[in-house]
Amino acid sequence: MASYLYLDLLVNGAAVHRFELQVGRQKVGRSAECPVRLLDTTVSSVHALLTVIENPLHPHFLDVLLTDMNSTNGTWKDGQRIAQVRLMLGDTFRCGDAELMLNGADGAMTTQTEFAVRPGE
């Protein structure tokens, strides 16, 4: 499956690195085992988990869940420490001090009622 979703690592609001997301689970952390590897001392070895799944009600949509993996410095969205949250395109979150933004390729869409991402056709 082609990648339609990306995580951008932000520094001072500007994207400095892009990680492609695929359907399935992707670990976020400092460890080399993490597809989203963040070389930041405030990030735990396995800090968070991103789960990208097909929406069962709308097979052409993807849901993106962000789960904290009991990290030391927390996973934060909208100024609040989270255990798990659904993400929409354009959402930013922090793992420790590292700021990331969920983005999509041209044609990717979100709906506020379903918190889903639709791959381009």
Side-chain angles (χ1 to χ4, degrees):
M1 176 179 186
S3 180
Y4 298 102
L5 297 175
Y6 306 94
L7 269 187
D8 288 329
L9 176 62
L10 305 177
V11 174
N12 297 323
V16 296
H17 189 79
R18 175 166 276 184
F19 301 94
E20 290 186 19
L21 298 179
Q22 303 294 330
V23 170
R25 295 179 176 185
Q26 284 104 150
K27 293 177 184 176
V28 179
R30 263 190 358 259
S31 171
E33 73 178 271
C34 297
V36 180
R37 189 170 185 202
L38 304 172
L39 300 177
D40 183 317
T41 58
T42 65
V43 174
S44 296
S45 294
V46 179
H47 195 102
L49 181 68
L50 280 163
T51 306
V52 179
I53 57 174
E54 288 186 8
N55 184 306
L57 300 176
H58 303 279
H60 299 290
F61 284 71
L62 299 174
D63 289 330
V64 182
L65 300 175
L66 172 65
T67 305
D68 183 76
M69 300 299 288
N70 298 314
S71 63
T72 302
N73 292 311
T75 303
W76 300 78
K77 183 176 179 302
D78 298 329
Q80 295 189 353
R81 191 170 184 158
I82 60 97
Q84 186 176 67
V85 67
R86 247 179 239 271
L87 296 176
M88 295 175 51
L89 288 181
D91 279 351
T92 59
F93 63 93
R94 286 189 308 109
C95 292
D97 289 339
E99 185 177 18
L100 299 129
M101 177 185 284
L102 180 66
N103 281 311
D106 289 343
M109 298 171 51
T110 62
T111 60
Q112 290 185 352
T113 56
E114 296 172 31
F115 300 99
V117 177
R118 182 177 153 192
E121 297 179 16

